[in-house]
Amino acid sequence: MKLTTIDHLVYFVKNLKAAEKFYTALLGKVEYRDAEQIAYAVGETRVFFALPYDKKAGKQGADKIGFNHIAFGVSSVAKLRAIEEGLDKLKYKHSGIMLDEYAQEPFIWLDDTDGNRVEIYCRTA
């Protein structure tokens, strides 16, 4: 047995409005919305941002056991530069374009409004 797709991902956030502003800048229009969650289409995968069921939920960190980061992909350096310019325009703090030391591919790191690590990765090969 081999699974071949990721159907959806769900991330709990503290502030749905702040998450929507941040992720709409990266992913475009919201595909689904209700009082508790929003969802975006990223290729065939749906990415949901929702208020937690447990309102006392703690914060995960990028360097702790568990989820580390989500990487969204682009297909050209020009697209990555356009994203960098958009992040700058919105005044989102980010790493700038860096080079992956292993695959030698360019990427940008930043944290979302809840401190979750987000990567925009350019796979040219």
Side-chain angles (χ1 to χ4, degrees):
M1 174 177 72
K2 180 181 175 188
L3 301 175
T4 59
T5 63
I6 295 176
D7 183 77
H8 68 275
L9 304 165
V10 178
Y11 297 92
F12 286 146
V13 298
K14 289 184 283 187
N15 183 314
L16 197 56
K17 192 172 211 166
E20 182 174 354
K21 179 181 176 192
F22 180 85
Y23 282 102
T24 296
L26 293 176
L27 303 175
K29 75 178 185 102
V30 173
E31 297 285 321
Y32 174 82
R33 175 188 289 111
D34 66 25
E36 302 288 317
Q37 64 187 338
I38 54 175
Y40 298 86
V42 181
E44 296 296 315
T45 303
R46 298 296 176 263
V47 183
F48 291 83
F49 299 93
L51 297 174
Y53 308 129
D54 177 1
K55 302 302 182 199
K56 298 176 188 171
K59 180 182 174 189
Q60 258 187 304
D63 296 324
K64 295 181 180 176
I65 297 297
F67 176 75
N68 180 265
H69 72 278
I70 184 170
F72 297 104
V74 296
S75 58
S76 72
V77 174
K79 290 179 182 177
L80 189 62
R81 282 193 188 109
I83 289 170
E84 180 181 38
E85 290 170 10
L87 293 170
D88 289 344
K89 188 174 186 177
L90 292 167
K91 298 190 183 339
Y92 285 130
K93 183 179 174 185
H94 60 85
S95 66
I97 296 176
M98 301 175 69
L99 196 61
D100 177 357
E101 67 181 276
Y102 303 105
Q104 299 299 302
E105 296 281 15
F107 67 92
I108 297 171
W109 283 107
L110 67 154
D111 292 332
D112 73 7
T113 55
D114 288 297
N116 296 307
R117 184 61 49 98
V118 176
E119 179 179 7
I120 314 300
Y121 196 87
C122 179
R123 190 173 303 279
T124 59

